Amino acid sequence: MSWLRYNLLAFGDAFNHFRRAPGSFLLNVLVVAIALALPFAGMTLLENVRPVTEQLAVQPEISIFMQGNATRDQALAIAPAMRQNLQNAGSDAKIEFIPREKALDALKSKTGLNDALATLGNNPLPDAYVVKLTGFQIDAVQVDRIAAKLKTLPRVDTVQIDSAWVKRLAALMHVLRLALLFLAATLGVVVVAVVFNTIRLQVMTQYDEIAVSRLLGATDAFIHRPFYYTGALLGACAGALALAAVAIGLQPMNQAVAEFARLYGSEFQLAPLPPLMVAVLLGLSALLGLLGAMLSVRRHLSRLG
């Protein structure tokens, strides 16, 4: 109970510091919030994009398009040779034949270009195969080698590796995560520096009060504790302000995103961070403020002692 009472007193003392100088406190909160808003916005964007990228298949797929004048029998005749080439490469691949009629129906249903396609008369799409490579450790060189062999089959017009762009997207997402981590670490140092300087000024203005407290027998922990709460509260308030700014900024951004997504037949929108992530970010903000306060108090009170 005594420990709880001491912490409540320290918290009340820290809150009184804010009440005595609200302008300075709000200005410091604004500076720290600006530093936190950029990594918070980047994290929000990555969290919204991550489910989309996870739904994309990274399993290599090879699309094989027959020549336009190839008959159905000629298209079906290459299936045994295709399986033999894949077995020689060590892949237990799944081969799906897509007739040109099925491809045309799928194109109509996904693009809404019924009228435009109807004006073409005959079906312009060729028969095709989709090969999903499985069963071994696949690398880009091996996939290219398999695609080159399939290209030599009779009446084959084009061979396309469909999943290469997905791998590039995954690599890009990894680079963006590393860049966001570096940015967050850099701005985290800025937050610690701002809180460090804020607590330093408080220590200097309360030097006489601290000296009297020590003469009365106050321990270092008793003296340090209000400053720790001051830094943690400053960080938490700045984190809340940064998260609120990011959430408000999503509204105009979603209007532009919705218009862009509609062009691709999607209803994708940016959503705020989930409550658990918000709580984690608020905790990290408070922790940065606490770290800055601890560094400042231990350095400057040791000099004053």
Side-chain angles (χ1 to χ4, degrees):
M1 292 299 295
S2 60
W3 178 87
L4 180 61
R5 185 173 68 253
Y6 290 149
N7 279 273
L8 289 176
L9 289 174
F11 182 83
D13 192 12
F15 188 74
N16 288 332
H17 292 165
F18 300 152
R19 292 179 59 186
R20 287 197 293 266
S24 176
F25 169 70
L26 293 177
L27 182 61
N28 288 320
V29 167
L30 181 61
V31 172
V32 176
I34 292 174
L36 292 174
L38 190 56
F40 286 1
M43 185 172 296
T44 302
L45 179 61
L46 287 181
E47 282 296 311
N48 279 273
V49 175
R50 180 176 56 82
V52 178
T53 58
E54 289 178 350
Q55 292 175 1
L56 299 174
V58 296
Q59 184 183 33
E61 293 183 359
I62 299 178
S63 294
I64 303 167
F65 299 97
M66 306 300 297
Q67 295 175 356
N69 58 357
T71 64
R72 179 62 49 81
D73 291 338
Q74 290 173 333
L76 295 174
I78 70 168
M82 189 184 306
R83 291 190 179 90
Q84 185 62 43
N85 284 332
L86 293 170
Q87 289 176 1
N88 293 339
S91 172
D92 184 18
K94 298 178 180 178
I95 301 176
E96 180 184 2
F97 177 69
I98 302 178
R100 61 181 66 190
E101 297 83 8
K102 181 179 179 181
L104 182 63
D105 292 339
L107 183 63
K108 290 180 179 179
S109 63
K110 291 183 179 180
T111 62
L113 300 178
N114 294 346
D115 296 337
L117 292 173
T119 60
L120 297 177
N122 296 329
N123 185 354
L125 301 179
D127 292 328
Y129 286 91
V130 175
V131 179
K132 298 181 179 180
L133 302 176
T134 59
F136 65 105
Q137 187 66 33
I138 300 171
D139 55 42
V141 175
Q142 195 169 12
V143 172
D144 291 340
R145 189 181 300 116
I146 294 174
K149 290 181 179 180
L150 296 177
K151 181 68 170 64
T152 62
L153 295 176
R155 311 296 291 180
V156 171
D157 183 38
T158 305
V159 175
Q160 177 180 337
I161 302 174
D162 298 332
S163 298
W165 69 273
V166 180
K167 292 184 176 180
R168 297 189 187 102
L169 178 60
L172 177 61
M173 292 294 295
H174 180 64
V175 172
L176 291 178
R177 290 189 187 97
L178 291 179
L180 180 60
L181 180 61
F182 176 77
L183 178 65
T186 303
L187 294 179
V189 174
V190 174
V191 172
V192 172
V194 172
V195 176
F196 182 94
N197 188 62
T198 301
I199 299 301
R200 180 183 67 84
L201 294 176
Q202 285 194 4
V203 170
M204 300 301 295
T205 56
Q206 294 181 251
Y207 174 67
D208 292 338
E209 181 181 343
I210 293 172
V212 172
S213 298
R214 282 178 170 172
L215 291 175
L216 295 176
T219 62
D220 287 343
F222 181 84
I223 296 173
H224 294 181
R225 197 175 290 121
F227 296 106
Y228 292 166
Y229 277 113
T230 299
L233 284 174
L234 196 157
C237 291
L241 180 61
L243 288 170
V246 171
I248 294 173
L250 289 179
Q251 302 303 321
M253 285 187 62
N254 268 329
Q255 296 179 2
V257 170
E259 294 178 0
F260 179 77
R262 197 176 298 115
L263 298 176
Y264 292 89
S266 173
E267 297 182 356
F268 175 78
Q269 284 192 338
L270 297 173
L273 291 173
L276 180 60
M277 184 66 70
V278 170
V280 171
L281 292 179
L282 286 176
L284 289 176
S285 302
L287 185 61
L288 288 174
L290 177 61
L291 178 61
M294 292 176 65
L295 294 175
S296 182
V297 167
R298 292 182 179 180
R299 178 173 181 178
H300 295 96
L301 285 184
S302 63
R303 289 184 176 183
L304 295 176

